[in-house]
Amino acid sequence: MRSSTGNRHTADGAGTERTGPGRDLPALLAGAATGTAACGALLALMDSGSPLRGPCALFFLLAAPALAIAVALRGLDPFGRLITALAGAVALDMLVAQAMLTVHRWSVTGGIVAVTVLSLLILPAARAGQRGRTREGTPEGSKTGQSFVTAKPTDS
């Protein structure tokens, strides 16, 4: 029997379905995070006086670049990807803030727009890099994609 979420496989490879109340939790959390980030960006762009504006906008400023960087780092293990993406998001936010302060154009709206644009620019660059790696293919004579070099000793 196949559920709407598809088959789940355990670590030993046995095809078992994950049942119970927690099976859709990752999708629920992703949706809640997306909604919170979008709400924060909209509240900041509308210059709302809501008390949720600050925390939600801060969540957007961390989540948007972190997600874009995490997509670009698909080869890392999940924990390493999370730490690297969060560090990259903080660095990108600091660079945007420093650039805006340097040119004397600091504004909350400008910061939200700049971080959004930079996050959206990271995504196509990451996708292009992933496509370039898949188009290269495997070298001739190698079934696994690994190439070997044999070094010959020299007479001295």
Side-chain angles (χ1 to χ4, degrees), residues 96-106:
V96 167
Q98 184 66 40
M100 291 176 75
L101 288 171
T102 301
V103 296
H104 303 288
R105 298 286 181 208
W106 172 253

Side-chain angles (χ1 to χ4, degrees), residues 1-11 14-29:
M1 182 173 180
R2 186 179 167 118
S3 67
S4 63
T5 59
N7 288 336
R8 305 285 181 175
H9 295 284
T10 59
T16 60
E17 288 188 28
R18 191 169 170 192
T19 59
R23 74 172 180 243
D24 294 329
L25 188 60
L28 180 66
L29 291 176

Side-chain angles (χ1 to χ4, degrees), residues 3-61:
S3 67
S4 63
T5 59
N7 288 336
R8 305 285 181 175
H9 295 284
T10 59
D12 61 358
T16 60
E17 288 188 28
R18 191 169 170 192
T19 59
R23 74 172 180 243
D24 294 329
L25 188 60
L28 180 66
L29 291 176
T34 303
T36 304
C39 188
L42 287 175
L43 287 173
L45 290 174
M46 293 187 320
D47 201 24
S48 172
S50 171
L52 294 176
R53 176 185 171 197
C56 291
L58 180 63
F59 182 74
F60 172 79
L61 289 172

